[in-house]
Amino acid sequence: MREILFATGNEAKVKRFRDKLLERNVRLLTLKDIDMELDVLEDGSNAIQNALIKARAYHKVTGMITLAMDDTLFLEQVPSDMQPGMYVRRVQGRRLSDDEMISYYSNLAKKYGQNGRITARWIYGMALINQGKEFTYTWSKDDFYLVDKPSSIVNPGYPLNSISVNKKLNKYFTDLTEEDKVLCEEDESDVVQFIVDHLS
């Protein structure tokens, strides 16, 4: 069983890839598993650069195969100076809590959306460092709606799910049943393959 350090404190991100990688004989280790937390300044200009910054920092200290990812959020109809981009959780220099994120983005949907909703899209960047060699990958997900009225359910680590609505099913992400998730699950086998391909 090969092991990779996933340089994130977000358990939801780890959960997203853990099972698929276990099927490929790869175990993801978290920062909790190795009892480490570095203060890393993520000052890149895009998701790939920030993922590389995190991966380099942890690889340098641990020497382990290290994986990191970052994401950017694009909102249609929202002015360019209000686009979250990479700073989804950091607004005006301050890190928002889950509740603050829900409030801030639901207000954007109310202000700039049509009928209280705006079309949104996540774009991801991933970096993997193995024995000093760096590899990167980027991908995006299907469009969805950000809306001005939150669901009563909050997913820790993914607070925007409370104001995100799946276009196909017209349901909050937080309200999707297991059957719904299968129906609208996006295939990220390409991401898993990218990771596996760069372990040898």
Side-chain angles (χ1 to χ4, degrees):
M1 180 79 67
R2 292 167 291 180
E3 292 184 337
I4 306 176
L5 174 63
F6 198 166
T8 181
N10 188 331
E11 182 60 30
K13 285 185 179 179
V14 178
K15 186 177 179 183
R16 180 169 166 182
F17 299 106
R18 179 185 283 135
D19 291 345
K20 292 294 183 186
L21 283 167
L22 275 174
E23 292 172 8
R24 305 292 294 274
N25 207 33
V26 177
R27 178 181 292 121
L28 280 184
L29 298 178
T30 68
L31 299 180
K32 285 183 182 177
D33 291 329
I34 65 168
D35 194 26
M36 178 180 287
E37 185 75 42
L38 297 178
D39 187 17
V40 180
L41 176 62
E42 299 172 36
D43 58 356
S45 60
N46 57 49
I48 288 287
Q49 287 183 12
N50 271 353
L52 277 168
I53 288 167
K54 284 185 280 191
R56 287 169 180 158
Y58 281 94
H59 179 73
K60 182 177 181 180
V61 171
T62 66
M64 298 174 67
I65 299 172
T66 305
L67 180 71
M69 69 180 285
D70 205 345
D71 44 48
T72 58
L73 180 61
F74 175 76
L75 308 175
E76 291 185 7
Q77 299 120 237
V78 173
S80 59
D81 62 337
M82 297 290 291
Q83 287 290 336
M86 292 184 306
Y87 304 105
V88 178
R89 199 176 269 274
R90 284 175 283 172
V91 175
Q92 297 174 348
R94 194 170 71 81
R95 182 177 171 82
L96 301 184
S97 68
D98 284 2
D99 287 342
E100 289 170 330
M101 284 182 71
I102 292 168
S103 175
Y104 177 78
Y105 286 99
S106 62
N107 284 330
L108 281 185
K110 182 180 290 186
K111 182 173 182 179
Y112 296 105
Q114 295 179 340
N115 299 319
R117 67 185 189 184
I118 49 181
T119 298
R121 181 182 312 108
W122 287 104
I123 302 169
Y124 298 92
M126 181 172 277
L128 186 146
I129 302 181
N130 185 358
Q131 298 180 351
K133 293 182 181 176
E134 298 179 349
F135 308 94
T136 61
Y137 192 70
T138 188
W139 74 102
S140 63
K141 288 189 130 186
D142 288 342
D143 293 351
F144 59 97
Y145 293 124
L146 272 187
V147 299
D148 63 349
K149 293 180 178 62
S151 162
S152 60
I153 303 168
V154 177
N155 293 145
Y158 283 99
L160 293 188
N161 282 356
S162 297
I163 56 169
S164 298
V165 172
N166 181 277
K167 282 187 171 184
K168 296 175 190 170
L169 302 177
N170 197 33
K171 282 186 175 182
Y172 288 106
F173 286 11
T174 54
D175 296 343
L176 296 176
T177 65
E178 290 306 314
E179 186 178 274
D180 290 336
K181 290 176 184 176
V182 170
L183 287 173
C184 62
E185 183 177 28
E186 295 187 69
D187 183 6
E188 290 186 322
S189 58
D190 56 327
V191 185
V192 172
Q193 191 62 50
F194 160 76
I195 296 169
V196 171
D197 284 347
H198 295 98
L199 296 182
S200 55

